[in-house]
Amino acid sequence: SGINAEYGSSGINAEYGVDVSETLNYVFKALTLTRHRLEGKVPLIGFSGAPWTLMAYMIEGGGSKTLSKAKKWLYTEPDASHRLLKLLTRVISAYMIEQVAAGAQLLQVFESSAEYLGP
């Protein structure tokens, strides 16, 4: 059901370390295997959701038509929101770098929830 707002500023630690290469090693092995099997016939595209989109899914607990919980949390918990976005940015960056090391030739970042940030 998403992030509980009561944890707010104390619940997000932007210094939390995530070993992306170890935790998601199976993804990188699959990318390498796929790259070899493609034999250069087509490019291998890596991807990730962008920080706001992932944060919104985390807070909402899934997809949403309005992102009302995520927007409320963004405005009522600005410090925690900033820390979470910084953490997600670091983890996503590491994830994308590992995808390239594993054989991805092109990267795409999906920010499919940006439209909800307007007034």
Side-chain angles (χ1 to χ4, degrees):
S1 64
I3 292 176
N4 188 333
E6 74 183 63
Y7 294 112
S9 22
S10 64
I12 305 299
N13 180 355
E15 300 305 315
Y16 176 71
V18 176
D19 186 346
V20 172
S21 61
E22 182 180 319
T23 304
L24 297 173
N25 189 46
Y26 68 96
V27 172
F28 308 125
K29 285 181 178 181
L31 282 170
T32 301
L33 176 63
T34 302
R35 172 79 185 268
H36 291 296
R37 293 220 173 140
L38 289 173
E39 297 177 339
K41 295 175 186 166
V42 294
L44 180 60
I45 303 171
F47 68 93
S48 177
W52 164 245
T53 292
L54 295 182
M55 181 173 134
Y57 272 87
M58 291 169 73
I59 293 169
E60 295 288 336
S64 168
K65 298 279 187 203
T66 63
L67 295 186
S68 59
K69 292 178 192 174
K71 287 194 293 186
K72 179 181 177 185
W73 203 71
L74 182 67
Y75 290 108
T76 61
E77 296 288 343
D79 293 337
S81 295
H82 187 76
R83 286 194 303 275
L84 180 54
L85 288 167
K86 282 176 67 174
L87 171 64
L88 287 168
T89 299
R90 280 200 298 277
V91 172
I92 292 164
S93 296
Y95 179 56
M96 300 299 268
I97 289 167
E98 289 292 331
Q99 286 186 57
V100 170
Q105 297 163 287
L106 176 75
L107 298 174
Q108 184 167 8
V109 179
F110 293 96
E111 187 57 276
S112 54
S113 298
E115 68 183 287
Y116 296 99
L117 291 173

